[in-house]
């Protein structure tokens, strides 16, 4: 297969495995290629890189999504003069027999060749939370982190409002943190988050013991767990965090994605950041990076005004270079800012 066709098929693969919207696929390029090719090998290749890809077979996207994608692919094939492709119709028949579920999987391909597989909810809001799906700001933050891995390397990272875990799992797989503390406050989110971390091959540490202490000749010795990074999941509500929790956390770096969307939540978040920086044992405030989507300019302005009011400095970080997760850059403005005291 020619390099350009291979690249086109890989573009389909990356978008399909992460279940990106069908409108974001390079359909016009595919049509163009099909017009000039004499056989169906490109379509067969795309089929095997998407619906029949081993990751999708093991961790499938929603039935609705696969049906929609395949219907589109079949339309493209039928617009050519090529012979009917049984494999396309057999695969569609197979999907039509499947029942729709409230859960689906998404597989995000990392530049290292690894992937992050997440079990997500099909509805963007369910069980009274927005935390059961991955939001584009989480992809934005992870892309930036992958390009700036030294910020995380060998450091203790605390993520606020982790949702179901995309950013943290991607950072843990690519940026070599010393420890990564995922956190959220919603029970269903925490349960799904924990399952997703394990699904990606990590073993969780108990929340409060990051190390095992042994008595040895009267001295305390830390026995480090074999796994690096050490991953923990903390139940943390910004509105009611305790002193003990704050003392236990001690992060070098704090990150959060898509947590600036509601004025009430924003105030609690800023309060949490203020407290976290005053509870550092060494007096050094942690670095803070927050990524969010500007949906409502008023919420964004209120966030900035509240930070200014309490003297937390912030700056917008220039956009990173590489697009890895192919989210829609044009439909929203994504902002990543870092904080200083
Ligand atoms: C829009 S979701 C973002 C999830 C994830 N970071 C992402 O970008 O995909 C917001 C998350 O913040 C969490 N959250 C909201 N208010 C919170 C609070 N007071 N304390 C802790 N987490 C909170 C929600 O449970 C939810 O998981």
């Amino acid at each position: 297969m020619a390099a350009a066709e291979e690249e086109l098929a890989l573009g389909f693969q990356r978008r399909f495995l992460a279940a990106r919207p069908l409108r974001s696929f390079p359909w016009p390029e595919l049509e163009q290629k099909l017009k000039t090719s004499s056989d169906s090998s490109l379509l067969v290749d795309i089929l095997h890189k998407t619906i029949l890809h081993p990751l999708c077979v093991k961790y499938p996207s929603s039935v609705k999504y696969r049906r929609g994608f395949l219907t589109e692919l079949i339309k493209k094939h039928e617009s050519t003069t090529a012979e009917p492709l049984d494999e396309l119709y057999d695969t569609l028949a197979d999907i039509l027999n499947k029942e729709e579920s409230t859960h689906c999987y998404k597989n995000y391909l990392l530049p290292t060749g690894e992937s992050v597989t997440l079990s997500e909810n099909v509805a963007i809001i369910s069980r009274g939370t927005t935390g059961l799906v991955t939001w584009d700001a989480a992809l934005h933050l992870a892309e930036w982190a992958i390009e700036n891995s030294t910020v995380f390397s060998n450091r203790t990272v605390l993520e606020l409002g982790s949702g179901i875990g995309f950013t943290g799992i991607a950072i843990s797989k690519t940026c070599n943190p010393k420890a990564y503390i995922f956190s959220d406050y919603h029970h269903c989110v925490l349960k799904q988050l924990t399952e997703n971390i394990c699904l990606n091959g990590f073993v969780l540490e108990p929340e409060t013991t990051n190390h095992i202490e042994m008595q040895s000749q009267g001295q305390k010795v830390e026995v480090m767990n074999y796994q690096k990074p050490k991953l923990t999941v903390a139940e943390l509500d910004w509105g009611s965090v305790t002193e003990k929790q704050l003392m236990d956390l001690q992060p070098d770096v704090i990150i959060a994605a898509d947590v600036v969307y509601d004025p009430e939540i924003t105030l609690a978040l800023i309060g949490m950041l203020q407290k976290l920086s005053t509870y550092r044992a060494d007096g050094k405030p942690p670095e803070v990076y927050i990524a969010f989507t500007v949906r409502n300019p008023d919420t964004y302005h209120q966030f900035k005004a509240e930070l200014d009011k309490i003297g937390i400095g912030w700056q917008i970080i220039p956009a990173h270079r590489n697009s890895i997760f192919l989210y829609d850059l044009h439909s929203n403005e994504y902002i990543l800012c870092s904080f200083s005291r």
Side-chain angles (χ1 to χ4, degrees):
M1 183 163 299
E5 295 193 346
E6 176 67 11
E7 199 179 312
L8 182 63
L10 287 172
F12 271 81
Q13 178 181 63
R14 192 165 276 282
R15 287 177 178 83
F16 179 84
L17 292 179
R20 300 310 300 161
L22 293 183
R23 63 182 147 70
S24 73
F25 283 64
W27 298 110
E29 287 88 329
L30 176 61
E31 273 171 25
Q32 202 54 40
K33 284 268 179 278
L34 292 179
K35 263 190 209 153
T36 52
S37 92
S38 54
D39 64 12
S40 305
S41 57
L42 176 58
L43 278 175
V44 173
D45 189 41
I46 289 176
L47 185 65
H48 282 264
K49 281 187 162 64
T50 53
I51 295 186
L52 299 181
H53 187 286
L55 260 180
C56 182
V57 171
K58 192 165 179 194
Y59 301 113
S61 43
S62 78
V63 172
K64 186 172 169 215
Y65 185 77
R66 281 178 288 158
R67 198 176 51 225
F69 174 77
L70 200 50
T71 307
E72 208 50 48
L73 210 57
I74 289 173
K75 267 195 225 158
K76 298 293 174 244
H77 178 58
E78 288 177 348
S79 68
T80 70
T81 51
E83 289 288 298
L85 252 181
D86 287 347
E87 207 173 2
L88 283 178
Y89 298 100
D90 292 348
T91 311
L92 182 62
D94 194 34
I95 292 168
L96 291 175
N97 279 329
K98 301 246 181 319
E99 268 185 38
E100 195 58 83
S101 141
T102 52
H103 278 78
C104 63
Y105 289 99
K106 294 190 184 173
N107 300 285
Y108 303 87
L109 301 180
L110 298 171
T112 53
E114 287 180 282
S115 55
V116 175
T117 294
L118 296 185
S119 168
E120 304 200 3
N121 213 293
V122 289
I124 57 169
I125 299 181
S126 54
R127 296 169 179 246
T129 176
T130 53
L132 291 168
V133 293
T134 299
W135 294 85
D136 286 354
L139 307 177
H140 186 74
L141 180 56
E143 282 183 353
W144 177 81
I146 290 168
E147 258 182 43
N148 294 275
S149 61
T150 47
V151 170
F152 304 93
S153 179
N154 277 317
R155 302 180 88 191
T156 296
V157 183
L158 167 65
E159 183 181 359
L160 300 175
S162 294
I164 48 173
F166 174 77
T167 308
I169 295 171
I171 289 179
S172 299
K173 286 195 174 189
T174 54
C175 301
N176 192 35
K178 181 167 76 185
Y180 197 99
I181 308 161
F182 295 85
S183 75
D184 210 284
Y185 77 148
H186 193 286
H187 279 132
C188 300
V189 174
L190 287 163
K191 183 170 175 285
Q192 194 63 63
L193 169 64
T194 305
E195 284 173 20
N196 280 337
I197 295 168
C198 299
L199 182 65
N200 284 274
F202 290 108
V203 179
L204 279 167
E205 304 260 326
E207 189 184 331
T208 47
T209 31
N210 282 343
H211 56 257
I212 304 157
E213 286 182 349
M214 285 194 328
Q215 294 288 337
S216 162
Q217 297 174 341
Q219 282 186 320
K220 273 187 176 169
V221 179
E222 284 188 0
V223 179
M224 303 310 280
N225 190 292
Y226 66 93
Q227 178 183 261
K228 190 171 177 258
K230 288 189 289 186
L231 302 190
T232 42
V233 171
E235 182 176 348
L236 206 61
D237 183 338
W238 315 325
S240 58
V241 61
T242 63
E243 264 186 43
K244 161 103 179 56
Q245 280 177 311
L246 289 164
M247 285 305 292
D248 285 346
L249 290 167
Q250 300 292 323
D252 302 309
V253 183
I254 300 171
I255 61 168
D258 212 335
V259 286
V260 180
Y261 55 92
D262 172 320
E264 219 174 284
I265 289 179
T266 308
L267 284 182
L269 171 72
I270 292 176
M272 177 76 185
L273 293 175
Q274 236 184 334
K275 286 181 199 148
L276 276 165
S277 53
T278 48
Y279 274 84
R280 278 285 300 200
D282 59 6
K284 226 167 94 188
E287 287 172 30
V288 181
Y289 300 93
I290 308 237
F292 53 93
T293 304
V294 183
R295 299 187 185 90
N296 177 350
D298 289 345
T299 313
Y300 173 41
H301 293 308
Q302 183 236 3
F303 176 60
K304 290 193 298 187
E306 291 298 334
L307 290 172
D308 291 341
K309 217 192 282 178
I310 55 168
I312 296 188
W314 54 273
Q315 59 173 39
I316 295 178
I317 298 181
H320 48 278
R321 287 186 308 274
N322 295 322
S323 162
I324 303 168
F325 303 117
L326 305 174
Y327 52 91
D328 192 354
L329 271 172
H330 304 294
S331 67
N332 279 308
E333 190 183 354
Y334 299 94
I335 290 194
L336 176 65
C337 55
S338 68
F339 294 54
S340 53
R341 285 225 132 232

